[in-house]
Amino acid sequence: MPSFLWDCWPSLELRAVLCAMGCIQSIGGKGRIFREGITVIDVKASIDPVPTSIDESSSVVLRYRTPHFRASAQVVMPPIPRKETWVVGWIQACSHMEFYNQYGEQGMSSWELPDLLEGKIQAISDSDGVNYPWYGNTTETCTIVGPTKRDSKFIISMNDNFYPSVTWAVPVSESNVARLTNIYRDQSFTTWLVATNTSTNDMIILQTLHWRMQLSIEVNPSRPLGQRARLREPIAQDQPKILSRNEPIPPSALVKPNANDAQVLMWRPKYGQPLVVIPPKHR
């Protein structure tokens, strides 16, 4: 096997984890043949069947870690007769985000994506902020440089989850008294398996996935640290959907800014005007 093919294989350990987990959706069999003769033999997608974990070890912030979304695909690229480069990998975009932290009767903080919230764009890139439009550039992509004489067979994989920190106290207050009473989060994503000819910029969508992460945490700030937060429904996440018909990629999912750089933290008091707590990195 040519050396560049070995660079495209993720560890067998990750492959074993994906195969061993429950609730994995997959498309297998004889494979699906697409334009340019690219074949997707198998696609798997799942969200780990574990609840969100809550960490109250800090007196300043509450932390939580959601289960991982995982996706993998086995792809066969036919021989490339010319001197050209193909990249096969995962592209992801956020199409919906609600992320509220309630502080009793005082108000709430809210992470927001203004252009998405106002309907100016259909979805926003969830790239790593460096390798646009790809979600990442390690196990998430594979690059094949032509000409090649044989099929190139490889597996590409990705995973995603949330691990934020939420202040116990009102974020615009100088007080450090715990006021946090509830955390609510609901985000939806579309993830595409894509092959791109970097010489011609031709892009072929091989597979489309939908997944969603929902979260609700009830907090009693009057209780001792370590006993304040309780995870509410849903305890288990809905599993991803592997679509039978591919969806187009919105232009905004392929370019800057990504969701992390575009989001803004707002303070929305029960009475008074909203305040920007943390402005977006990219306007």
Side-chain angles (χ1 to χ4, degrees):
M1 181 181 292
S3 61
F4 72 86
L5 290 185
W6 286 108
D7 296 336
C8 300
W9 282 94
S11 69
L12 292 176
E13 184 176 329
L14 176 58
R15 177 70 172 167
V17 169
L18 283 168
C19 291
M21 285 168 42
C23 305
I24 292 180
Q25 293 191 27
S26 66
I27 293 180
K30 296 181 179 179
R32 301 174 63 184
I33 300 175
F34 300 86
R35 188 156 49 99
E36 304 292 346
I38 303 170
T39 305
V40 179
I41 298 176
D42 196 17
V43 177
K44 290 183 171 67
S46 67
I47 294 177
D48 292 355
V50 296
T52 294
S53 62
I54 300 172
D55 179 2
E56 294 188 38
S57 60
S58 169
S59 60
V60 179
V61 296
L62 177 153
R63 297 185 180 94
Y64 63 84
R65 188 191 299 271
T66 64
H68 280 79
F69 161 78
R70 304 180 191 273
S72 71
Q74 188 173 14
V75 181
V76 179
M77 174 72 72
I80 301 173
R82 296 174 293 276
K83 186 179 179 180
E84 59 186 25
T85 300
W86 283 83
V87 180
V88 180
W90 297 104
I91 295 174
Q92 181 165 280
C94 175
S95 56
H96 176 80
M97 183 172 84
E98 296 177 77
F99 186 179
Y100 309 125
N101 307 309
Q102 188 71 38
Y103 292 84
E105 293 296 311
Q106 293 184 257
M108 69 178 185
S109 64
S110 175
W111 283 102
E112 300 173 6
L113 295 166
D115 286 352
L116 189 64
L117 190 62
E118 296 167 12
K120 294 180 180 179
I121 56 175
Q122 182 181 347
I124 188 166
S125 169
D126 198 33
S127 163
D128 62 1
V130 178
N131 302 284
Y132 287 92
W134 307 106
Y135 183 77
N137 71 338
T138 53
T139 65
E140 298 87 359
T141 60
C142 183
T143 301
I144 305 95
V145 180
T148 60
K149 295 182 179 180
R150 301 178 181 177
D151 287 353
S152 304
K153 186 176 181 180
F154 49 89
I155 295 174
I156 48 176
S157 62
M158 64 165 286
N159 70 83
D160 191 11
N161 80 321
F162 309 143
Y163 185 38
S165 300
V166 182
T167 58
W168 292 110
V170 173
V172 296
S173 170
E174 295 182 0
S175 170
N176 60 0
V177 177
R179 301 292 186 189
L180 181 66
T181 54
N182 190 72
I183 297 172
Y184 175 80
R185 190 165 186 169
D186 186 356
Q187 280 185 257
S188 297
F189 298 88
T190 303
T191 308
W192 294 270
L193 178 62
V194 175
T196 299
N197 185 323
T198 62
S199 305
T200 63
N201 292 322
D202 190 22
M203 181 175 285
I204 303 170
I205 300 175
L206 305 176
Q207 190 66 63
T208 308
L209 314 176
H210 281 175
W211 66 281
R212 180 183 184 185
M213 190 72 73
Q214 296 175 280
L215 175 79
S216 180
I217 297 175
E218 182 180 0
V219 182
N220 185 342
S222 65
R223 293 184 63 84
L225 187 66
Q227 303 175 27
R228 295 173 179 172
R230 181 172 67 91
L231 183 65
R232 302 182 64 185
E233 295 290 346
I235 301 299
Q237 301 295 321
D238 292 337
Q239 289 300 311
K241 296 179 180 178
I242 301 176
L243 305 190
S244 58
R245 178 175 297 181
N246 284 319
E247 295 182 352
I249 304 177
S252 55
L254 301 172
V255 296
K256 296 181 179 181
N258 69 342
N260 285 341
D261 288 346
Q263 66 183 358
V264 55
L265 180 63
M266 299 293 299
W267 170 250
R268 298 189 177 278
K270 186 174 182 179
Y271 304 104
Q273 295 298 313
L275 297 173
V276 176
V277 181
I278 301 177
K281 295 178 182 179
H282 187 287
R283 294 184 181 275

